[in-house]
Amino acid sequence: MTDSKYFTTTKKGEIFELKAELNSDKKEKKKEAVKKVIASMTVGKDVSALFPDVVNCMQTDNLELKKLVYLYLMNYAKSQPDMAIMAVNTFVKDCEDPNPLIRALAVRTMGCIRVDKITEYLCEPLRKCLKDEDPYVRKTAAVCVAKLHDINAQLVEDQGFLDTLKDLISDSNPMVVANAVAALSEIAESHPNSNLLDLNPQTINKLLTALNECTEWGQIFILDCLANYTPRDDRESQSICERVTPRLSHANSAVVLSAVKVLMKFMEMLPKDLDYYGTLLKKLAPPLVTLLSAEPELQYVALRNINLIVQRRPEILKHEMKVFFVKYNDPIYVKLEKLDIMIRLASQANIAQVLAELKEYATEVDVDFVRKAVRAIGRCAIKVEQSAERCVSTLLDLIQTKVNYVVQEAIVVIKDIFRKYPNKYESVIATLCENLDSLDEPEARAAMIWIVGEYAERIDNADELLESFLEGFHDESTQVQLQLLTAIVKLFLKKPTETQELVQQVLSLATQDSDNPDLRDRGYIYWRLLSTDPVAAKEVVLAEKPLISEETDLIEPTLLEELICHIGTLASVYHKPPSAFVEGSRGVQHKRLPGSAGSGESVESPDVASAPGVSEAPPAVIPSQGDLLGDLLNLDLTPPTTTGPPPPSSGMQMGAMDLLGGGLDSLMGGGFGAAPAAMPASFTAPVSGGLDDLFDLGGGVGMPMGAYSPPKTVWLPAMKAKGLEISGTFARRSGVVQMEMTLTNKAMSVMTDFAIQFNRNSFGLAPAGPLQVLTPLSPNQSIEVTLPLNTVGPVMKMEPLNNLQVAVKNNIDVFYFSCQYPISMLFAEDGKMERQVFLATWKDIPNENESQFQIKDCHLNSDAASNKLQGSNIFTIAKRTVEGQDMLYQSMKLSNGIWLLAELRVQAGNPNYTVSLKCRAPEVSQCVFQSYEAVLKN
């Protein structure tokens, strides 16, 4: 009979009956009762009341019953920690049971009970099991150490379990080695700088020996561990590759991908002229091809990984084009991925084959796939110059099919082919113009308009074609409107006498009748250009265009290197680094490929390059956090600065007659016709309620107060630093960031020889000089010290962003502590932006970079708030009042050049303010909000 009977509902006194059965003398009855309890627990009933009765059943030699009781225990130990201690004695006893299965079961269950009170009792049994004679028990105990470390890391380190784990890497049993490696890797992930897996040639040799004999998942743990090792030279690299290569023929695809990851990494160190290098390339292709005969889901994962491999080393699969040809029954996600790889592998040698295949795909029924196939033909033309002519004729054949979406895609890619090979294939324009009426997608319409505008001199009726688009101008998408505006201006500059009315019509539509700011701005720019300097207009609008590049969708090289180090993981499927989708600090170590042989590049150099002209920082005293700052300092985030004299104020209020004043006439050699009667209101005067008010209003900004400095707090308590207590704060005085500290000696001996050093941090804060403690610090004496700081130290992203790790040394020892500095200390004195620049920058920063915060219980009016904030270099650029609510527009600039823009809303009588922050590096917004809150409330 099946176990379903245990899940049938019973009568009311169920718990009472189960209690009686659990205390029965009959073993069978006891077992049945425990099964019923587990069944109830599984369906979500609360059977925790039976805890003591179930625990009593642990005293049994029946393995099945013991497993069930342990299952119950794992589930309820957290809610009944005091009662769970009752089970400790049984665990200890079971860990010495003659049956290795029971010993392993006990140690496995111990690791799953996440109760702090119990963990210390489990150390002794775990220590015995780690040295057990049976390998099954040892491998289970190894995993238990990782679980225990997750619950109480300090306890595991104090008990010396980590050293025992390291010893298990030399174990005679391969499964024990694999589990020890897995446990150490897991622990190392949460402590990136602990150097637990101290890999050296001897350890690597042991791992490679175990690799041949352990289970498939054990092999994956070992291969992933090997991938983190950096060989000393190319000989060691070759030796490891030779011993890993047999894993490529494994039946498990995860093992194959892990082996590929190791080989891809170590190949970087092999000289390309080495015979073995060529052999290795040949050996890598068959396993990757074999992965494509699996079920579609596995194929997709394999294809995403192959996509990365092909970008890094296309030579591996250059002869395997046929396996990427699409099968009729492939799911769409596999088809699209194969298509992508086909284009990456396309070369002069195989282009005929690829084009024939792509032409076939373009007649399929799946619309998305057909579109991608047509695009692929265009990409092939751009990639392989010799094939361009054949690609163009293929595209023309497809246009003749008159299938709407095929025609539209073909026109989009032909536009790119014109960009790549100017003055070569323009003879096809006539065919394209025949299909003008059938275009209904914005991208295709925009592409066609671009072609007409760009080659207007070759098209007799270009003005008629563009005029036909102009009829429904306001119904077009922005993309088409912008393209149409530019095309008509190009046409006018090429044929001025015939198209004056057309250009006037489009400029009028773009500037007066449109509410799209991009379109209006472009319209005014063209209008001003044409009216003031037609020669300059020609140079700007008809300028030589750069050729488009071959591969526009290649992954950026440093990201590609990191993704190659993550082959076989989710990162390789998403094509994103783990830090982009893993929350928290775990798994956010940035990896890089080692430098290639003879390149002179450092083997592992994950750090951000130090700024030019900055002396090399002394070696870090503190272990680094292991999380790099990529975007905060590499991006050029400075707003556009105004150079030269400001434009005359009349430029903003010029009338329409001024816009067209004579400039167009000189181009045409005749009258231009009447200009529009009036400028749109939005251009001559700011619209009330919009950000444009910034140009007019800036009242209410009074004298600033002093910069805010937080009160001193204890950073290093005396009990943690052998009697030295450090309390401190940060301040900005006369443009210099200072660390103000009070050092107190609470020990019995004199303290001397003070020195200080910072770990790498988010903004490169570093001491500008030595720590000046000029006299010895006697017992019970305190001394005030001010340390000036600069921001030219090494950079690394911290969590939180404003965290600072500090090491202080004296004659007794070195002490470490961390503190958080208010980010307002880094706001520069030159952080006040010009109003026009502010407005342009605010519009330019994407909306998704805007963060909104509430500041509660603040009882200042807007003027007082503005003064207070200005003391901390948060500058108010403009202020306006809308329906009783004051809106302050503010800017600030961080020491590393990042600009932040803010809008602070203050409602009279409402103690809650709203602050909206916009920045190109949105990760700083949270810290800036905290500074706003601190400055306004203190």
Side-chain angles (χ1 to χ4, degrees):
M1 190 171 170
T2 64
D3 287 344
S4 60
K5 61 178 182 180
Y6 300 112
F7 290 90
T8 53
T9 53
T10 53
K11 45 206 168 299
K12 279 187 179 174
E14 189 179 16
I15 298 283
F16 184 74
E17 280 186 13
L18 285 171
K19 199 178 183 81
E21 285 178 22
L22 286 168
N23 293 313
S24 164
D25 296 333
K26 291 180 181 171
K27 283 186 181 176
E28 273 310 306
K29 212 166 186 185
K30 231 180 206 181
K31 192 155 95 178
E32 291 293 300
V34 173
K35 282 187 177 180
K36 285 180 191 170
V37 171
I38 297 295
S40 298
M41 180 179 89
T42 308
V43 295
K45 289 182 186 169
D46 183 14
V47 283
S48 56
L50 297 167
F51 200 94
D53 307 285
V54 177
V55 169
N56 284 338
C57 299
M58 280 174 82
Q59 311 294 337
T60 176
D61 49 5
N62 182 317
L63 189 59
E64 188 186 2
L65 180 55
K66 204 175 268 290
K67 277 183 180 176
L68 291 169
V69 174
Y70 278 172
L71 198 61
Y72 176 90
L73 201 60
M74 280 189 253
N75 199 40
Y76 283 115
K78 210 165 193 176
S79 58
Q80 308 260 5
D82 296 329
M83 297 187 80
I85 291 177
M86 291 162 49
V88 167
N89 285 335
T90 316
F91 279 135
V92 175
K93 219 167 103 188
D94 281 355
C95 284
E96 293 178 359
D97 194 279
N99 183 346
L101 290 176
I102 288 181
R103 297 203 295 277
L105 181 63
V107 80
R108 180 182 292 122
T109 311
M110 278 161 34
C112 293
I113 296 178
R114 304 178 65 83
V115 177
D116 273 342
K117 287 184 181 177
I118 295 182
T119 44
E120 53 202 64
Y121 295 108
L122 306 181
C123 294
E124 235 13 79
L126 181 56
R127 187 174 283 110
K128 284 180 185 168
C129 290
L130 281 166
K131 300 206 166 130
D132 197 281
E133 60 191 25
D134 192 287
Y136 182 71
V137 181
R138 292 201 299 279
K139 86 177 181 74
T140 310
V143 177
C144 185
V145 173
K147 288 179 178 173
L148 195 59
H149 188 274
D150 200 34
I151 303 165
N152 190 337
Q154 198 57 48
L155 179 72
V156 171
E157 286 161 26
D158 295 347
Q159 293 285 340
F161 287 146
L162 295 180
D163 296 326
T164 317
L165 260 189
K166 288 179 188 174
D167 295 342
L168 287 182
I169 289 180
S170 312
D171 198 277
S172 56
N173 184 288
M175 269 321 296
V176 178
V177 176
N179 277 20
V181 166
L184 284 169
S185 302
E186 179 82 11
I187 295 167
E189 246 180 47
S190 53
H191 293 69
N193 302 305
S194 52
N195 203 18
L196 284 173
L197 273 163
D198 185 17
L199 298 174
N200 53 45
Q202 292 73 32
T203 318
I204 292 296
N205 196 32
K206 287 169 189 165
L207 294 181
L208 287 166
T209 307
L211 187 61
N212 298 322
E213 297 165 40
C214 59
T215 66
E216 51 197 356
W217 298 110
Q219 290 180 30
I220 293 166
F221 290 135
I222 291 175
L223 287 167
D224 287 350
C225 179
L226 287 172
N228 293 326
Y229 176 61
T230 305
R232 292 165 304 175
D233 52 33
D234 55 350
R235 282 182 62 188
E236 188 186 0
S237 193
Q238 182 176 337
S239 154
I240 294 171
C241 287
E242 283 168 353
R243 294 176 71 179
V244 168
T245 311
R247 300 299 109 214
L248 291 173
S249 53
H250 200 284
N252 185 323
S253 51
V255 176
V256 175
L257 283 176
S258 292
V260 168
K261 171 167 63 182
V262 175
L263 296 172
M264 284 292 289
K265 184 172 178 183
F266 289 1
M267 276 172 83
E268 297 289 331
M269 302 212 34
L270 298 176
K272 291 195 175 178
D273 52 2
L274 198 69
D275 290 343
Y276 181 70
Y277 181 84
T279 314
L280 196 52
L281 284 180
K282 285 179 192 156
K283 283 183 177 172
L284 274 168
L288 293 171
V289 170
T290 308
L291 290 175
L292 297 182
S293 55
E295 48 268 40
E297 293 79 8
L298 279 179
Q299 276 189 56
Y300 179 71
V301 172
L303 287 165
R304 292 294 280 174
N305 281 279
I306 288 169
N307 201 326
L308 297 174
I309 293 164
V310 164
Q311 287 185 55
R312 185 74 192 173
R313 297 203 181 282
E315 62 270 27
I316 292 176
L317 289 160
K318 66 179 178 187
H319 300 305
E320 304 293 343
M321 176 63 88
K322 277 194 173 168
V323 298
F324 299 107
F325 286 176
V326 170
K327 298 191 183 85
Y328 75 95
N329 58 349
D330 280 338
I332 183 67
Y333 54 88
V334 171
K335 283 181 176 178
L336 296 177
E337 207 56 44
K338 280 184 173 178
L339 209 49
D340 213 29
I341 295 168
M342 277 170 67
I343 300 157
R344 296 202 193 288
L345 291 174
S347 63
Q348 204 176 334
N350 58 23
I351 194 73
Q353 209 180 6
V354 172
L355 275 179
E357 196 70 16
L358 291 174
K359 192 172 179 183
E360 195 67 32
Y361 299 162
T363 58
E364 287 272 341
V365 287
D366 190 312
V367 177
D368 286 338
F369 179 53
V370 171
R371 286 174 180 280
K372 186 104 181 204
V374 176
R375 291 237 165 165
I377 295 171
R379 280 174 62 188
C380 287
I382 289 164
K383 188 175 180 191
V384 185
E385 189 170 346
Q386 295 78 358
S387 74
E389 200 157 329
R390 191 181 290 173
C391 291
V392 172
S393 66
T394 306
L395 289 167
L396 287 176
D397 290 348
L398 292 172
I399 288 174
Q400 297 307 334
T401 63
K402 301 291 182 192
V403 177
N404 195 323
Y405 54 86
V406 175
V407 171
Q408 307 209 57
E409 285 297 329
I411 285 174
V412 172
V413 296
I414 286 174
K415 180 202 76 174
D416 290 339
I417 294 171
F418 286 168
R419 287 283 309 276
K420 177 73 176 172
Y421 309 112
N423 305 320
K424 224 171 172 186
Y425 301 108
E426 283 76 5
S427 55
V428 306
I429 292 174
T431 315
L432 303 184
C433 292
E434 288 167 17
N435 294 280
L436 209 60
D437 300 334
S438 63
L439 307 180
D440 54 15
E441 290 169 16
E443 198 178 359
R445 288 173 77 82
M448 192 65 227
I449 291 166
W450 181 87
I451 291 169
V452 173
E454 189 67 17
Y455 301 104
E457 70 278 10
R458 299 175 186 222
I459 304 170
D460 297 336
N461 61 338
D463 49 344
E464 288 171 26
L465 296 177
L466 291 177
E467 200 167 356
S468 67
F469 283 103
L470 209 54
E471 288 161 11
F473 186 78
H474 291 302
D475 301 327
E476 300 284 5
S477 71
T478 306
Q479 182 183 8
V480 176
Q481 289 176 332
L482 288 166
Q483 201 59 265
L484 191 54
L485 173 61
T486 304
I488 290 176
V489 171
K490 281 180 186 173
L491 174 67
F492 173 73
L493 290 167
K494 289 173 181 179
K495 302 179 177 179
T497 48
E498 303 154 36
T499 52
Q500 48 183 304
E501 282 181 30
L502 191 60
V503 78
Q504 198 167 353
Q505 194 183 344
V506 77
L507 288 172
S508 172
L509 283 168
T511 54
Q512 291 185 6
D513 304 343
S514 171
D515 56 0
N516 182 310
D518 293 337
L519 187 62
R520 278 209 316 271
D521 288 351
R522 191 181 290 193
Y524 284 125
I525 288 169
Y526 285 153
W527 204 327
R528 192 71 182 147
L529 262 174
L530 292 170
S531 60
T532 52
D533 191 349
V535 179
K538 238 176 178 169
E539 283 175 10
V540 171
V541 182
L542 302 178
E544 191 78 17
K545 283 159 199 65
L547 298 183
I548 59 175
S549 63
E550 289 179 12
E551 296 275 348
T552 50
D553 59 343
L554 287 177
I555 293 174
E556 193 263 325
T558 48
L559 173 59
L560 182 61
E561 281 194 9
E562 187 174 349
L563 293 176
I564 292 284
C565 295
H566 289 294
I567 283 177
T569 68
L570 268 181
S572 67
V573 178
Y574 290 154
H575 287 188
K576 288 179 178 176
S579 53
F581 58 89
V582 177
E583 287 187 3
S585 58
R586 294 172 73 113
V588 189
Q589 264 181 298
H590 290 255
K591 299 182 178 181
R592 283 206 35 209
L593 293 174
S596 54
S599 69
E601 190 186 326
S602 65
V603 168
E604 282 282 345
S605 56
D607 308 337
V608 174
S610 55
V614 179
S615 60
E616 195 64 25
V621 190
I622 316 160
S624 70
Q625 186 161 322
D627 190 6
L628 302 174
L629 187 64
D631 27 358
L632 268 185
L633 287 133
N634 290 348
L635 290 173
D636 179 16
L637 297 175
T638 48
T641 51
T642 48
T643 51
S649 57
S650 63
M652 284 310 291
Q653 283 90 16
M654 58 204 165
M657 294 307 290
D658 171 47
L659 271 172
L660 290 166
L664 286 170
D665 294 10
S666 63
L667 180 74
M668 292 166 43
F672 186 71
M679 290 295 293
S682 61
F683 198 68
T684 51
V687 178
S688 63
L691 263 172
D692 308 62
D693 274 5
L694 296 176
F695 296 129
D696 276 6
L697 300 165
V701 181
M703 288 300 292
M705 305 175 180
Y708 162 70
S709 178
K712 280 186 180 174
T713 53
V714 176
W715 286 339
L716 184 67
M719 60 187 290
K720 284 192 176 177
K722 300 181 181 175
L724 172 65
E725 185 184 274
I726 300 179
S727 55
T729 184
F730 293 86
R732 188 179 182 97
R733 307 200 193 284
S734 308
V736 177
V737 183
Q738 296 180 344
M739 195 178 192
E740 298 178 350
M741 293 178 284
T742 304
L743 310 184
T744 306
N745 182 356
K746 294 191 175 179
M748 304 301 289
S749 54
V750 174
M751 294 180 180
T752 57
D753 305 329
F754 284 88
I756 192 165
Q757 191 173 327
F758 296 174
N759 194 9
R760 292 177 296 174
N761 54 78
S762 305
F763 294 90
L765 277 177
L771 188 62
Q772 300 282 355
V773 183
L774 302 174
T775 55
L777 193 59
S778 307
N780 296 320
Q781 186 190 353
S782 292
I783 189 167
E784 301 287 331
V785 184
T786 299
L787 178 71
L789 310 178
N790 60 37
T791 52
V792 294
V795 170
M796 180 179 76
K797 187 177 182 182
M798 302 299 285
E799 193 58 42
L801 210 59
N802 58 339
N803 194 25
L804 181 65
Q805 295 175 336
V806 185
V808 172
K809 181 184 88 70
N810 63 12
N811 58 326
I812 297 169
D813 205 345
V814 178
F815 308 107
Y816 304 102
F817 65 89
S818 65
C819 54
Q820 291 181 16
Y821 47 92
I823 209 165
S824 56
M825 296 302 117
L826 303 174
F827 292 162
E829 280 68 17
D830 61 346
K832 187 165 186 177
M833 224 181 226
E834 291 293 325
R835 288 189 207 166
Q836 284 90 334
V837 178
F838 179 100
L839 181 58
T841 310
W842 183 280
K843 286 180 179 174
D844 194 37
I845 296 173
N847 288 338
E848 52 265 35
N849 284 21
E850 184 173 349
S851 309
Q852 202 170 68
F853 304 93
Q854 288 283 326
I855 300 172
K856 296 186 176 174
D857 301 319
C858 198
H859 300 277
L860 300 170
N861 64 25
S862 59
D863 289 357
S866 175
N867 292 347
K868 220 170 189 193
L869 291 165
Q870 190 158 339
S872 293
N873 294 338
I874 298 172
F875 298 99
T876 300
I877 292 167
K879 170 187 165 186
R880 63 190 178 92
T881 305
V882 179
E883 297 174 350
Q885 189 178 47
D886 287 344
M887 298 165 94
L888 303 178
Y889 294 98
Q890 299 173 318
S891 71
M892 59 224 89
K893 180 183 169 189
L894 286 167
S895 55
N896 58 6
I898 292 177
W899 284 86
L900 286 120
L901 311 185
E903 181 194 65
L904 181 67
R905 298 182 188 185
V906 181
Q907 181 95 39
N910 182 353
N912 298 339
Y913 297 175
T914 304
V915 63
S916 300
L917 295 168
K918 256 193 168 187
C919 179
R920 293 191 200 275
E923 45 270 77
V924 301
S925 297
Q926 181 63 36
C927 293
V928 173
F929 156 65
Q930 288 164 0
S931 285
Y932 258 80
E933 210 171 27
V935 172
L936 289 170
K937 288 188 176 182
N938 292 288

